[in-house]
């Protein structure tokens, strides 16, 4: 097994088991968040946030809710250069690929949520 493969299959000690082990929060917490999946802003110097983001989320407080995918899509209105179009297309492709992975984790997390109710 390569070092990279070993790292990707090893769960760090003390890490959170929620969200199909995708939770990145450390220490005691009621809000579980997965890693961020983002489409970077086309012009970061003009933007206050990324174009799109998606993160797995669940709240484990008093009202334990089923896991969801928290999604934000910001409005963008502008004329793009060819380089910016290429950047946007690549960003959206990567975002969509990661979205499918997040959907698989969400499905697994929701099944575990139903089992543990
Ligand atoms: Zn957690």
């Amino acid at each position: 097994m390569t070092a990279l493969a070993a790292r990707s299959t090893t769960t760090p000690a003390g890490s959170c088991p929620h969200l199909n082990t995708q939770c990145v929060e450390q220490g005691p917490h009621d809000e579980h968040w997965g890693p961020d999946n983002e489409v970077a802003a086309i012009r970061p110097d003009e933007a206050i946030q990324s174009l799109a983001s998606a993160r797995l989320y669940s709240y484990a407080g008093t009202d334990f809710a089923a896991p969801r995918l928290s999604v934000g899509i910001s409005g963008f209105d502008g004329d793009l250069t060819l380089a910016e179009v290429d950047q946007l297309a690549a960003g959206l492709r990567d975002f969509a690929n990661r979205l499918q992975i997040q959907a698989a984790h969400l499905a697994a997390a929701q099944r575990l949520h139903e089992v543990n109710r």
Side-chain angles (χ1 to χ4, degrees), residues 6-115:
R7 190 167 55 227
S8 67
T9 56
T10 302
T11 304
S15 69
C16 179
H18 282 263
L19 301 174
N20 198 35
T21 70
Q22 293 295 294
C23 180
V24 297
E25 298 299 317
Q26 303 287 319
H29 56 279
D30 283 337
E31 292 193 336
H32 303 283
W33 288 98
D36 212 351
N37 174 13
E38 280 191 336
V39 179
I42 296 291
R43 296 171 185 144
D45 51 320
E46 299 172 17
I48 57 170
Q49 64 188 45
S50 56
L51 280 180
S53 74
R55 293 182 78 181
L56 291 165
Y57 172 78
S58 75
Y59 178 70
T62 52
D63 186 20
F64 188 32
R68 293 284 188 263
L69 189 67
S70 179
V71 177
I73 308 283
S74 83
F76 174 81
D77 186 359
D79 302 318
L80 302 183
T81 66
L82 180 57
E84 289 168 335
V85 171
D86 286 343
Q87 177 194 337
L88 178 61
L92 290 174
R93 260 194 309 272
D94 290 346
F95 183 74
N97 289 339
R98 290 189 299 260
L99 213 48
Q100 288 189 307
I101 293 167
Q102 289 177 306
H105 284 300
L106 180 60
Q110 287 185 340
R111 279 194 300 273
L112 287 171
H113 177 77
E114 288 302 315
V115 167

